[in-house]
Structures are given as C-alpha cells and as structure tokens.
Amino acid sequence: MHLRRTSRATWHGTVGDGDGTMGLGRDRVIVPFSLKSRVGDQPATNPEELIAAAHAGCYAMSLTNVLENHGTPPTEVTAESTVHLVQGEGGFSIPTVDLSCDVVVAGVDHDELTRLAAEAERSCPVSQLLDAEITLTVRLTEGNES
Amino acid sequence: MHLRRTSRATWHGTVGDGDGTMGLGRDRVIVPFSLKSRVGDQPATNPEELIAAAHAGCYAMSLTNVLENHGTPPTEVTAESTVHLVQGEGGFSIPTVDLSCDVVVAGVDHDELTRLAAEAERSCPVSQLLDAEITLTVRLTEGNES
C-alpha cells in the first residue's frame, strides 16, 4: 500500500502583516493562520497545532492497534501532543514533543500499559516521522476487569 | 521564545470498526477520522493530511520570510505538500514528502527563486522536523517587474 495525501496552504503579504490559510486535504476544511495566531494569542490555529493533532490522532490509532494485538482492546484512547516551538540563534525549531495518553482498558495494569504505550510510540508512523525528542506519559484512567 | 502548542485526539473502539476525532489546538476545530478516511476513500481527513497542511503552511511563511529578507517580498505564496504513507513489512511509515510552491513575486528569476526556495526549505521548522526525504518543486507563476 502506498498512499499520497496532499494539502495546500496560501500566504498573502508579509510575514508580519499578512495572513494565510491551510486546507486539510480532500475534505477542504480551511483554517486561517497568521503570525499572531502562530506566536501570539490570536484565536486561530497554526502549523504546530496541526502537527500536534496529527501526532495525537496517529498515536491514538497505534496504541489501539497495539492493545488489540495484545488481546486487550481498549474502550477509548485519548492522546494529547504538545509541540514545542523554540526560537534560537539559528531561527525557529521544534526540538521536543510531549505525548500523553489516557486509556480506558480492562485487564492491563499500569506497568504493562506503559510498556505497550512505548511500543505504540515506536510503531506510530507520525512519531517515527518527527525528528524531535518525544516524551511519553501514560494514564490508566479506568481498569474494569473483564 | 518558547511556545507550546497542544492538540488532542480521541479514538473509540477497534482500529477497523472504530472512529476518532482530532481537535486543532485552542481553536477546537474538530475533524473526524477513521481507518476508511486514512487508507480508503471516505471523505474525512486523516493525520497525513494534517501533517501536509502544517508543512505547506509553515513553508509558505518561511519562503515569504526568505523573499522579504532578499528584498523581493512576494505577493502570494501557495505551497502544496504530499505525504507518502507506505505499508511495508515493518508496518506503516512516511519515507517521502513532496513539497511544491507557486510564487507570485517581482524581480526574481526562476534560478534565483529556486535557490531561495531551497533556503526556505532548510529554515522551515516543520521541514526540519520531518525525518523524511523532501523533494522540492518551484513554480514562478508571475514575475511582474517592479
């Protein structure tokens, strides 16, 4: 299987005063962005939030897959990703991404879940793609015995 | 400057039959996804399209910045990113990302724009983040002399 997924963005004007839009693939959900929404508090999104959403989504699927293969399919996986955008002497970079997950699953204790969550982080294609230090926090929010 | 941008995703049920949502940061634009929207033709988005949108958006800003610093600010930059999701023996991975841009700018010829576009690719924090081969195509769609 070899899939190609394409999205497009447009920027008008200068970096400081201009603005742009990012379109999400075929769906053509269009989200606006600007320098103020990227490094300030303007309530619009930015590339880092899209990376974080992609990472969280991919990881939630990967962890579900790992838990299914382990014979303990989860009821729900919530993942959160925090992308660090740092301005240094050489410009902006993303050195670190913090990943955390809350898992509702029966029949797995915290240590086992931690091991499986790390396995999912290694197999998640978006985690693999990110050339950053990725930290991982695991929360077993419910563990109803089956 | 050190910014943290957080997004969240939730997955319910199995990978094959379940579904999930990805929320884009503070804005809380919520987009649904599923296995069918990821590896099939279902009209919803997926993590790869979000990566592509983030890449295109970040690169459009970076190229605008490079052209401004060059003394030739562009009128418009459109960037397109195509993420390749490949299933191999070890699972899914993203080995390649194709990046292209259409630039409306005056006072820059195609060779100079190609050089500046490559510089922007190297300085774009999302390009730097992606541990994949990135190809780059440049189109000078208009070159009104100033």
Side-chain angles (χ1 to χ4, degrees):
Chain A
M1 188 181 292
H2 185 147
L3 296 164
R4 292 166 180 81
R5 299 302 191 188
T6 299
S7 294
R8 191 178 303 173
T10 299
W11 188 268
H12 291 98
T14 63
V15 168
D17 294 324
D19 53 27
T21 56
M22 297 178 285
L24 312 184
R26 301 160 296 171
D27 219 12
R28 296 295 166 211
V29 174
I30 305 288
V31 293
F33 72 123
S34 67
L35 187 66
K36 286 178 182 164
S37 76
R38 193 160 188 193
V39 301
D41 290 332
Q42 195 175 81
T45 194
N46 50 59
E48 288 69 35
E49 288 182 354
L50 266 60
I51 294 282
H55 190 206
C58 188
Y59 182 72
M61 281 184 84
S62 292
L63 182 52
T64 297
N65 186 53
V66 165
L67 284 162
E68 278 187 66
N69 291 342
H70 185 250
T72 51
T75 308
E76 181 179 299
V77 174
T78 299
E80 200 169 85
S81 173
T82 298
V83 168
H84 294 240
L85 181 67
V86 178
Q87 188 175 26
E89 288 185 7
F92 282 98
S93 66
I94 300 169
T96 310
V97 178
D98 297 322
L99 182 64
S100 67
C101 60
D102 287 275
V103 185
V104 182
V105 62
V108 181
D109 67 17
H110 190 272
D111 285 353
E112 185 73 354
L113 182 62
T114 298
R115 186 184 69 75
L116 295 167
E119 181 184 329
E121 197 277 311
R122 288 190 296 272
S123 64
C124 167
V126 172
S127 271
Q128 289 175 23
L129 180 67
L130 301 182
D131 186 13
E133 184 194 9
I134 298 176
T135 68
L136 178 61
T137 306
V138 178
R139 287 181 289 267
L140 180 58
T141 54
E142 191 178 314
N144 295 328
E145 289 300 320
S146 55
Chain B
M1 188 181 292
H2 185 149
L3 296 164
R4 292 167 180 80
R5 299 301 191 189
T6 299
S7 294
R8 191 178 303 172
T10 298
W11 189 268
H12 292 98
T14 63
V15 167
D17 295 323
D19 53 28
T21 56
M22 297 178 284
L24 311 183
R26 300 160 297 172
D27 220 9
R28 296 297 167 212
V29 173
I30 305 287
V31 292
F33 73 123
S34 68
L35 187 66
K36 285 177 184 166
S37 75
R38 193 161 187 194
V39 301
D41 291 331
Q42 195 173 81
T45 193
N46 50 60
E48 289 69 35
E49 288 183 352
L50 268 60
I51 294 282
H55 189 208
C58 187
Y59 181 73
M61 282 185 81
S62 292
L63 181 52
T64 298
N65 185 55
V66 165
L67 283 163
E68 278 187 66
N69 291 342
H70 184 251
T72 51
T75 307
E76 181 179 299
V77 174
T78 300
E80 200 169 88
S81 173
T82 297
V83 168
H84 293 241
L85 181 67
V86 177
Q87 187 175 28
E89 288 185 6
F92 283 97
S93 65
I94 299 170
T96 310
V97 178
D98 298 322
L99 181 64
S100 67
C101 60
D102 287 274
V103 185
V104 182
V105 63
V108 181
D109 67 17
H110 190 271
D111 285 355
E112 186 72 353
L113 182 62
T114 298
R115 185 184 68 76
L116 295 167
E119 181 184 330
E121 197 276 311
R122 289 190 296 272
S123 65
C124 165
V126 171
S127 271
Q128 289 175 23
L129 179 67
L130 302 182
D131 186 12
E133 183 193 9
I134 298 177
T135 68
L136 178 61
T137 305
V138 178
R139 286 181 291 268
L140 180 59
T141 54
E142 190 178 317
N144 294 329
E145 289 302 318
S146 55

